[in-house]
Amino acid sequence: MIRTIAWQNNEIHMIDQRFLPHDVRYLICATHHDVIDAINSLAIRGAPAIGIAAAMGIALGMISLPPQATPQEIQKSFHELCRLFISSRPTARNLFWAAERMQERFRLLCPENDQAVNLSAVQKALIQEAQTILDEDISQNRRIGHWGAALIQDGDNILTHCNAGSLATGGYGTALGVIRAAVEAGKKIHVFVDETRPVLQGARLTAWELMEENIPATLITDNMAGYLMSRGKIDKVIVGADRIAGNGDTANKIGTYTLAVLCREHRLPFYVAAPISTFDRHTKEGKDIPIEERDPQEVTAWQHCSIAPHGIKVFNPAFDVTPNRYISGIITEKGIARPPFDVSLGNMCAG
Ligand code: MRU
């Protein structure tokens, strides 16, 4: 299994996803600023992976405090670190969820106005919490794979979008975790990978992961999915998620909504695979999910080579929202939620 991110000797080591598929290069983050840059620049990306990176980044920031830091300085630094990380990308719920987990752990050790803070104990506990978030993510992905594999038939042709694999998580993956688990269960399947413009997470990352594991796959451009469906070449679509609203509306990589609508037209099942940490009970509907807009250069250039006329106006939303009515099921570590999602997801989150 590809290890996306690890805490090693008080540094964070991560695969630098900007160089894949041709160069497997590791980025070593020695400061929390390095981690924030890595998240902003998509060196690490994918909702669960950036949540883990943020948790580790907060721990990394805290270990740089001098031993003589006062309780007030410790409080201030911790809250500033959390603020920096939660403003690094706006859509993925897991980023906020991970920061909240770190805040809970911190609050227990460092109640406000406490004058006797053991900094070294706080630092150890925060490193441990970040590591636990990573370990739990991998085991949750395996459970998502277990439930999701039951939805896959021998001989299926599955289309996936973006990268919801090991690289987007602590390891194993969500949508790709389901595919991996089906293969591990002996099912013979084939995966269509769409390239996922503008940053090509499908072509660069998902295609690479599948080839590394010899899972049969074919790369297509984003605009080919409808044609393939109309020819009966696709049996189902499985994608990951960045944030799932209380009613099941799902934000995921731009282009996901188009695939869901195509599935409805062709009467194909459309599944979302995501851990409970992606659910946002406080956001009732998809229209309230903040959608990140990224640098226009992602659209007008590829690897610094211009592909559009200079000065053209660009719109570059990184995500879209698929309304719950197009989603056949949401595969979580606790089982498969079915419509109505406000009820099924509500029960899962409570249980
Ligand atoms: O912009 P990215 O590459 O971070 O977007 C990633 C996605 O949209 C993934 O599908 C999603 O985070 C799920 S990853 C398990």
Side-chain angles (χ1 to χ4, degrees), residues 143-177:
R143 288 204 294 278
I144 290 172
H146 162 80
W147 294 113
L151 300 168
I152 312 284
Q153 312 302 315
D154 209 29
D156 266 356
N157 281 288
I158 302 162
L159 172 64
T160 190
H161 184 60
C162 192
N163 172 266
S166 286
L167 292 165
T169 60
Y172 203 70
T174 56
L176 278 196

Side-chain angles (χ1 to χ4, degrees), residues 3 7 42 68 87 89 91 106 123 128 147 149 157 167 173 191 205 218 243 268 275 283 288 296 309 320 343:
R3 291 308 297 258
W7 179 278
L42 307 185
Q68 66 277 17
S87 26
R89 291 191 76 187
T91 304
F106 181 78
Q123 290 165 329
Q128 189 194 58
W147 294 113
N157 281 288
L167 292 165
V191 185
L205 310 176
T218 303
R243 192 187 291 227
L268 296 174
T283 300
D288 300 321
D320 59 25
V343 177

Side-chain angles (χ1 to χ4, degrees), residues 17 39 42 44-50 89 92 94 137 141 160-169 173-176 196 199 201 204-205 239-243 251-254 256 273-275 278 292 294 298 318-319:
Q17 301 188 28
I39 294 174
L42 307 185
I44 188 160
R45 33 66 49 203
I50 61 176
R89 291 191 76 187
N94 310 61
D137 184 67
N141 289 339
T160 190
H161 184 60
C162 192
N163 172 266
S166 286
L167 292 165
T169 60
T174 56
L176 278 196
T196 317
V199 186
Q201 289 93 334
R204 294 186 304 108
L205 310 176
V239 297
D242 280 83
R243 192 187 291 227
N252 190 48
K253 180 53 57 193
I254 191 77
T256 302
T278 307
E292 177 181 8
R294 292 189 60 87
E298 287 182 351
F319 304 98

